[in-house]
């Protein structure tokens, strides 16, 4: 598979180069020249495979590797929890660290890549493969029919997973609307919904570092691949100088297609955690609670008809003290209390 960079010049690069280097010689981020596609029976055959077999197959399309599902057997399969109102929560966090970064780093290591930044291509590709794995898992569980579209709600952050969803849809994964959720750092919302954003990288510090991103690195890939060379050049120049970047109405519609970005204030997390625990029988971390809030905002406008996969990147245990305070509970014996709360919620879901 060949790659170009966001500088959109005529040079092409091998997949091996994307595993070894963060950028091309021109300083641009690597992007696939063409995407593999799964349509019809080829897609269904992929999705019928177990989680790690499916993930490995997609990664093999991007890189010169021959991974098999058995290469990931020591890893836990991300749990998928089906809660109320046609929402499935995919728990992507690594069980040891409580964060998604641990799983992503492990998969990049399986590829033989030393790169450890969400702006590097291996991280984007890993996310694409995991999306196929998650969708296949909910189909095999009978939650949706094979090929049925689902919405996807997720933290915006560096725009890594939203961009992965953009690629996955073009590869044939039946995704409906992708709902990236920002906190007070809403550059993605400004660009896609207002058509203009200042690219100075200014960050509003909040209690949720995962969402405290002033300038999501993967927006550069979206602009380059959806809008072409001139837009990419203008974007990079504006970013380099810390200036505003604007899209005309046609460009804005193209870049925004398939996305509905939501902005949710960080302060909502404390109120949402107990409410969601009571009404949906699920315990969320503060960041994932904000993603849930963004999804609710989207559904208030679009309705609840389409099933939605909500991607959870952080364990509530990682934020155990904040979670217990939000619930009005003592913070002693934190691990045991969080485990008990999760067990009680699971028991109620089973009864329902």
């Amino acid at each position: 598979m060949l790659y170009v960079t966001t500088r959109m010049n005529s040079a092409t690069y091998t997949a091996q180069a994307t595993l070894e280097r963060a950028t091309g010689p021109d300083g641009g981020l690597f992007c696939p020249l063409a995407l593999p596609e799964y349509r019809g029976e080829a897609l269904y055959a992929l999705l019928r495979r177990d989680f790690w077999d499916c993930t490995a197959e997609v990664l093999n399309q991007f890189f010169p590797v021959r991974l098999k599902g058995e290469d990931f057997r020591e890893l836990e399969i991300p749990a998928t929890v089906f809660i109320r109102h046609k929402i499935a929560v995919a728990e992507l966090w690594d069980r040891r660290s409580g964060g998604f970064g641990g799983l992503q780093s492990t998969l990049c290591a399986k590829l033989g890549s030393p790169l450890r930044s969400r702006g590097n291509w291996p991280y984007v590709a890993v996310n694409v493969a995991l999306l196929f794995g998650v969708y296949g898992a909910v189909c095999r569980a009978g939650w949706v029919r094979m090929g049925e579209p689902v919405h996807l709600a997720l933290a915006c952050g560096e725009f890594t997973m939203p961009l992965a969803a953009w690629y996955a849809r073009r590869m044939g994964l039946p995704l409906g609307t992708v709902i990236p959720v920002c906190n007070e750092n809403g550059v993605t919302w400004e660009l896609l919904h207002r058509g203009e954003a200042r690219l100075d990288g200014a960050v509003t510090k909040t209690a949720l570092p995962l969402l405290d991103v002033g300038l999501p690195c993967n927006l550069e890939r979206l602009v380059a691949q959806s809008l072409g060379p001139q837009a990419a050049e203008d974007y990079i120049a504006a970013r380099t100088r810390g200036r505003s970047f604007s899209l005309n109405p046609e460009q804005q519609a193209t870049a925004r297609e398939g996305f509905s970005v939501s902005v949710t204030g960080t302060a909502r997390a404390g109120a949402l955690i107990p409410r969601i625990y009571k009404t949906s029988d699920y315990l969320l971390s503060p960041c994932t609670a904000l993603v849930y809030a963004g999804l609710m905002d989207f559904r208030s406008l679009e309705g609840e008809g389409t099933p939605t996969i909500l991607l959870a990147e952080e364990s509530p245990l990682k934020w155990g003290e904040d979670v217990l305070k939000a619930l009005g509970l003592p913070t002693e014996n934190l691990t045991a209390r969080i485990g008990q709360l999760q067990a009680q919620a699971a028991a109620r879901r089973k009864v329902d």
Side-chain angles (χ1 to χ4, degrees):
M1 186 168 178
L2 293 177
Y3 292 81
V4 293
T5 76
T6 50
R7 300 285 177 171
M8 304 300 283
N9 57 35
S10 58
T12 58
Y13 306 89
T14 64
Q16 186 62 38
T18 73
L19 289 171
E20 298 170 352
R21 305 193 330 228
T23 66
D26 56 9
L29 302 176
F30 289 113
C31 304
L33 180 61
L35 289 168
E37 292 188 7
Y38 294 96
R39 308 290 178 187
E41 186 52 41
L43 174 64
Y44 300 154
L46 174 67
L47 298 175
R48 291 188 193 105
R49 300 168 72 168
D50 72 23
F51 187 91
W52 290 122
D53 281 335
C54 177
T55 302
E57 165 62 23
V58 176
L59 289 173
N60 290 342
Q61 298 298 310
F62 288 124
F63 303 107
V65 292
R66 295 181 179 179
L67 293 171
K68 299 178 181 179
E70 62 192 39
D71 295 319
F72 304 101
R73 296 305 181 199
E74 80 279 10
L75 301 178
E76 291 189 43
I77 295 174
T80 304
V81 181
F82 305 103
I83 60 178
R84 298 174 179 173
H85 311 304
K86 293 187 177 181
I87 299 172
V89 180
E91 299 175 345
L92 298 179
W93 62 77
D94 173 79
R95 301 297 165 179
R96 290 167 294 183
S97 68
F100 186 28
L103 177 59
Q104 292 178 110
S105 293
T106 299
L107 295 180
C108 285
K110 296 284 186 182
L111 293 169
S113 175
L115 303 177
R116 293 296 181 269
S117 167
R118 294 188 180 205
N120 300 144
W121 173 250
Y123 264 62
V124 180
V126 160
N127 286 1
V128 173
L130 288 172
L131 286 177
F132 276 87
V134 168
Y135 181 84
V138 299
C139 289
R140 294 192 303 276
W143 186 66
V144 294
R145 300 183 306 276
M146 196 77 70
E148 180 180 355
V150 299
H151 295 328
L152 196 65
L154 38 78
C156 187
E158 292 286 1
F159 204 69
T160 309
M161 188 60 87
L163 181 71
W166 188 87
Y167 284 123
R169 182 190 287 120
R170 280 154 182 77
M171 292 169 64
L173 195 64
L175 297 178
T177 301
V178 177
I179 308 157
V181 180
C182 308
N183 62 356
E184 289 80 353
N185 297 286
V187 171
T188 301
W189 181 88
E190 292 173 0
L191 184 61
L192 297 186
H193 287 264
R194 293 181 57 245
E196 182 176 6
R198 186 164 184 82
L199 307 183
D200 57 6
V203 178
T204 299
K205 293 292 185 180
T206 74
L208 299 177
L210 182 65
L211 292 172
D212 289 347
V213 180
L215 181 56
C217 57
N218 280 300
L219 277 180
E220 183 176 322
R221 282 192 173 94
L222 178 67
V223 170
Q225 297 237 270
S226 65
L227 302 180
Q230 187 58 57
E233 182 179 336
D234 294 343
Y235 179 91
I236 293 168
R239 184 206 63 199
T240 301
R241 295 176 175 83
R243 296 178 178 175
S244 292
F245 174 71
S246 300
L247 301 174
N248 63 43
E250 182 179 354
Q251 289 175 319
Q252 184 185 357
T254 299
R256 182 178 170 178
E257 183 180 2
F259 290 113
S260 180
V261 184
S262 177
V263 177
T264 305
T266 301
R268 287 181 70 182
L272 284 166
I273 289 171
R275 187 185 310 168
I276 295 166
Y277 185 72
K278 181 178 180 180
T279 61
S280 298
D281 294 323
Y282 191 77
L283 190 63
L284 297 174
S285 71
C287 181
T288 313
L290 288 194
V291 176
Y292 192 108
L295 172 59
M296 292 302 102
D297 292 343
F298 172 82
R299 285 185 160 198
S300 69
L301 298 174
E302 302 295 331
E304 301 182 357
T306 302
T308 300
I309 299 174
L310 188 155
L311 302 182
E313 295 192 22
E314 294 183 327
S315 164
L317 182 57
K318 182 178 180 179
W319 293 85
E321 187 170 330
D322 297 276
V323 170
L324 292 175
K325 285 181 179 178
L327 292 167
L329 297 174
T331 57
E332 294 85 2
N333 302 317
L334 188 151
T335 300
R337 286 185 185 276
I338 293 292
Q340 184 180 32
L341 289 168
Q342 291 176 313
Q344 290 170 348
R348 291 197 298 270
R349 290 196 305 271
K350 188 174 181 179
V351 171
D352 290 343

